[in-house]
């Protein structure tokens, strides 16, 4: 098949769109990716890229076309708005040009956020009547209202109408969490369009490549958080947990691998409360390093704020953590928490409950190595059964293949 993947984010940015494109290409499909100039998450354009550099590339056999955008900067509201809509506009122009020279059998929209990423796919559909498969990884306008703090009814109504239009234009709506179904069905009769299509872990994590050199980690019971350190991840509750454990459980060490908008808050909190001996911030590392980091941890921490939209979400790091064979400590609600309980691969406490998280970490730190290894193995087996990339992509091929 000739497949077009439309996504604002692509290699060298680290998103599932990379795995999808490269795996489909490896399986013999002709894959084109319409994407943006890489600038996530720092908000600055990556070295080697620019308005006139590497706008067209071939990566692992995949044709990559990069549309102009305004960089997201530090992620403030106006900057993000300009980033989202500038890419949607310029990518839509690129899509018209692309669809005039190449016939596509399927268009896949990879949408971690924003919803406006659908617009270029819509241009291709209008030109070629190509079916569009909408991989919804972030619910709008809920995300705009809860995570973005937008309360204006006219703005929310505008985006609700936009979402309904995109759902109407979709051949299938692929959801990463079964909890998304309720929100989607509230916007229209899309029951026959919805397909469950979960996240997976990168091969570099699930394959267990432990050769990447990482910093020496502190001695003690190592609680590792890896990934984006942003508003949704509820760093306030994690920091208050560290504060509760500071005096009586100094053997419990929090290790944060990653970066994001809340990192200045984390640094300030550590300094203000004297947590330098129990909380360590290591910064960002490439995905290739994650297997080595996970292997060095005793337990892996995942968290989301207690908000309705987050309660419907399964963070992608849950699958990554499971694939590593390490036990998980979760401070979240909803499907993500239920998955961990179902797999018996760790511990789950309510979102935002730093008291319960502190108690659970105390309990986990006293468990023997055999018990923790048993939970880690349970998670890996659950991952192998439900979230392997190969199985997910085979399912995707089945969904998009002409019937």
């Amino acid at each position: 098949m000739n497949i077009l993947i439309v996504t604002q984010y692509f290699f060298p940015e680290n998103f599932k769109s990379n795995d999808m494109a490269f795996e489909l290409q490896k399986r013999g499909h002709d894959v084109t990716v319409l994407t943006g100039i890489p600038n996530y998450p720092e908000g600055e354009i990556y070295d080697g890229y620019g308005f006139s550099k590497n706008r067209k590339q071939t990566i692992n056999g995949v044709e990559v076309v990069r549309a102009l955008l305004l960089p997201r900067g530090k992620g403030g509201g106006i900057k993000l708005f300009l980033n989202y809509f500038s890419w949607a506009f310029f990518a839509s122009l690129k899509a018209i040009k692309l669809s005039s020279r190449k016939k596509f059998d399927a268009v896949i929209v990879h949408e971690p956020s924003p919803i406006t990423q659908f617009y270029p796919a819509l241009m291709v559909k209008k030109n070629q009547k190509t079916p569009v498969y909408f991989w919804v990884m972030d619910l709008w306008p809920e995300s705009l209202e809860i995570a973005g703090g937008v309360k204006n009814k006219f703005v929310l109504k505008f985006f609700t109408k936009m979402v309904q239009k995109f759902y109407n234009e979709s051949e299938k709506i692929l959801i990463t969490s079964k909890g998304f179904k309720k929100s989607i069905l509230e916007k229209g009769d899309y029951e026959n369009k919805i397909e469950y299509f979960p996240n997976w872990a990168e091969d570099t994590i699930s394959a267990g490549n432990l050769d990447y050199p990482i910093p020496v980690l502190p001695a003690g019971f190592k609680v590792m958080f890896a990934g984006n350190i942003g508003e949704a991840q509820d760093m306030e509750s994690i920091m208050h947990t560290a504060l509760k454990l500071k005096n009586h459980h100094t053997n419990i060490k929090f290790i944060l691998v990653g970066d994001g908008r809340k990192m200045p808050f984390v640094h300030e909190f550590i300094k203000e409360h004297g947590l330098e001996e129990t909380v360590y911030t290591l910064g960002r590392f490439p995905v290739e390093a994650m297997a080595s980091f996970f292997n060095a941890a005793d337990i892996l921490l995942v968290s989301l704020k207690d908000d309705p939209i987050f309660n419907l979400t399964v963070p992608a790091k849950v699958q990554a953590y499971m694939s590593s064979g390490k036990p998980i400590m979760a401070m979240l609600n909803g499907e993500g928490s239920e998955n961990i309980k179902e797999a018996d691969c760790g511990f789950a406490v309510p979102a935002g409950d730093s008291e319960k998280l502190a108690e659970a970490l105390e309990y986990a730190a006293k468990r023997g190595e055999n018990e923790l290894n048993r939970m880690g193995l349970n998670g890996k087996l659950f991952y192998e059964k439900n979230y392997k990339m190969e199985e997910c992509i085979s399912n995707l091929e089945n969904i998009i293949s002409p019937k």
Side-chain angles (χ1 to χ4, degrees), residues 48-102:
Y49 293 87
F51 296 134
S52 59
K53 287 196 297 186
N54 279 326
R55 295 280 303 283
K56 289 185 179 179
Q57 296 176 285
T58 300
I59 305 173
N60 293 343
V62 173
E63 181 185 357
V64 182
V65 179
R66 299 186 184 276
L68 291 171
L69 52 69
L70 294 172
R72 61 193 285 124
K74 295 299 181 184
I78 294 175
K79 285 265 191 178
L80 278 179
F81 176 86
L82 293 173
N83 174 254
Y84 293 166
F85 278 91
S86 64
W87 185 79
F89 174 77
F90 288 113
S92 294
L93 297 180
K94 283 280 186 187
I96 294 169
K97 187 176 179 181
L98 259 178
S99 59
S100 67
R101 70 171 175 83
K102 188 172 185 178

Side-chain angles (χ1 to χ4, degrees), residues 14-21 110 135 137 199-202 316 320:
N14 181 32
F15 284 85
K16 292 292 183 288
S17 51
N18 303 349
D19 294 335
M20 180 192 292
H110 166 260
W135 191 15
M137 308 176 83
N199 278 304
W200 56 84
E202 289 81 0

Side-chain angles (χ1 to χ4, degrees), residues 106-278:
V107 181
I108 303 170
V109 179
H110 166 260
E111 181 261 348
S113 209
I115 196 78
T116 47
Q117 289 176 90
F118 196 95
Y119 276 119
L122 190 57
M123 297 300 104
V124 178
K125 180 177 180 179
K126 296 298 184 187
N127 275 4
Q128 300 186 351
K129 299 193 175 3
T130 309
V132 179
Y133 299 87
F134 193 15
W135 191 15
V136 176
M137 308 176 83
D138 199 8
L139 290 172
W140 280 58
E142 292 93 332
S143 181
L144 195 65
E145 181 179 7
I146 296 167
V150 175
K151 302 299 181 184
N152 186 292
K153 290 183 179 180
F154 295 104
V155 173
L156 295 175
K157 187 175 181 180
F158 171 79
F159 278 99
T160 298
K161 293 290 186 186
M162 182 189 295
V163 170
Q164 289 172 321
K165 178 176 178 57
F166 294 162
Y167 290 164
N168 289 336
E169 296 286 354
S170 299
E171 183 77 12
K172 292 289 184 181
I173 302 166
L174 314 183
I175 55 174
T176 56
S177 168
K178 293 172 184 174
F180 282 11
K181 189 172 180 178
K182 181 176 180 291
S183 166
I184 292 170
L185 291 179
E186 285 173 352
K187 295 174 180 63
D189 183 14
Y190 306 115
E191 180 74 47
N192 294 331
K193 291 187 175 187
I194 296 173
E195 299 274 356
Y196 178 54
F197 185 65
N199 278 304
W200 56 84
E202 289 81 0
D203 277 350
T204 50
I205 298 173
S206 58
N209 177 12
L210 307 178
D211 297 331
Y212 198 99
I214 62 171
V216 176
L217 303 183
F221 185 75
K222 293 178 277 294
V223 181
M224 184 173 291
F225 178 100
N228 184 46
I229 297 174
E231 290 290 343
Q233 285 70 39
D234 195 6
M235 301 314 295
E236 290 90 346
S237 293
I238 292 176
M239 289 297 99
H240 280 103
T241 300
L243 187 58
K244 292 176 195 297
L245 296 172
K246 172 187 172 185
N247 295 325
H248 305 295
H249 296 279
T250 54
N251 66 309
I252 297 177
K253 310 293 186 183
F254 290 81
I255 299 163
L256 309 183
V257 182
D259 203 351
R261 293 170 63 188
K262 291 297 287 187
M263 190 53 88
F265 159 79
V266 171
H267 285 148
E268 185 61 33
F269 195 96
I270 292 170
K271 183 179 178 182
E272 182 180 346
H273 298 280
L275 296 174
E276 290 86 354
E277 298 300 317
T278 54

Side-chain angles (χ1 to χ4, degrees), residues 176 196 198-201 314 318-320 322-323 335 339 342 379 381-392:
T176 56
Y196 178 54
N199 278 304
W200 56 84
V314 181
V318 169
Q319 285 91 342
M322 283 182 172
S323 77
E335 193 174 335
N339 279 358
E342 181 184 350
L381 293 173
F382 192 86
Y383 169 82
E384 296 280 346
K385 182 179 178 181
N386 297 282
Y387 301 126
K388 273 188 75 72
M389 182 187 74
E390 291 81 2
E391 297 301 322
C392 290

Side-chain angles (χ1 to χ4, degrees), residues 321-332:
Y321 284 178
M322 283 182 172
S323 77
S324 73
K326 288 286 181 173
I328 300 173
M329 178 64 68
M331 182 175 59
L332 47 78

Side-chain angles (χ1 to χ4, degrees), residues 285-297:
F285 283 80
V287 67
E288 291 79 13
M290 291 305 106
S292 294
F293 274 113
F294 293 172
N295 186 59

